[in-house]
Amino acid sequence: MKKSDRQKVFDKYDGKCAYCGCELVKGWHVDELEPLVRNFTYNRDKGKYVHDGTCRHPERLHINNQNPACASCNIMKSSESLEAFRNKISAFVNSLNQYHTQYKFAKRYGLVVETVKPVVFYFETLI
Ligand SMILES: [Zn+2]
């Protein structure tokens, strides 16, 4: 990606992550809103799957489909659609209540207060 194109993506939300709204720092990612779904092949020499340079939806590789994202949002979103990403985040509280003793203790002692609200991404608040 050309540096000038990367800057255009960065500027879309004034240097903020399109999803959580945090200030982007060095190492921020370019996310494709509708995922490209990169293809990986197993590399025997490296002992792992590596991106082979192709993807299932090359037509989605354009600035209108690209969002600036902090590394954690981009990694969490992975190759999912926006709605799948939203559903994944919505399910976190249930998972915390089911499986995480530290979370349940923090909640029991009033250190965590849950709210019931929909997941709204930062860029959606700007529309
Ligand atoms: Zn983020």
Side-chain angles (χ1 to χ4, degrees):
M1 173 178 237
K2 290 191 308 188
K3 193 171 183 176
S4 60
D5 290 340
R6 188 169 164 82
Q7 185 64 45
K8 286 177 189 167
V9 175
F10 182 87
D11 292 341
K12 282 177 95 171
Y13 302 110
D14 296 323
K16 293 188 168 91
C17 174
Y19 303 106
C20 72
C22 76
E23 294 288 334
L24 295 173
V25 296
K26 186 176 172 144
W28 64 275
H29 293 193
V30 175
D31 176 66
E32 278 74 28
L33 191 59
E34 292 298 322
L36 300 177
V37 189
R38 290 180 167 82
N39 295 317
F40 289 81
T41 55
Y42 189 75
N43 182 311
R44 287 178 189 254
D45 296 335
K46 294 182 178 178
K48 62 181 182 180
Y49 285 91
V50 294
H51 181 226
D52 68 6
T54 65
C55 61
R56 283 191 225 165
H57 301 285
E59 75 282 3
R60 294 177 178 172
L61 192 56
H62 60 84
I63 192 161
N64 292 341
N65 189 44
Q66 292 175 319
N67 268 341
C70 68
S72 60
C73 280
N74 191 49
I75 291 166
M76 187 62 68
K77 183 174 176 284
S78 187
S79 294
E80 296 176 342
S81 69
L82 190 64
E83 292 315 309
F85 184 39
R86 190 188 317 274
N87 291 338
K88 179 192 274 186
I89 295 169
S90 295
F92 284 168
V93 175
N94 286 340
S95 175
L96 288 167
N97 279 307
Q98 282 188 305
Y99 304 113
H100 297 275
T101 303
Q102 292 173 334
Y103 176 80
K104 288 188 276 189
F105 262 83
K107 185 174 151 186
R108 185 181 307 158
Y109 284 88
L111 303 175
V112 173
V113 178
E114 293 178 4
T115 59
V116 178
K117 63 179 200 173
V119 172
V120 178
F121 296 112
Y122 176 71
F123 76 93
E124 294 172 324
T125 69
L126 304 175
I127 298 169

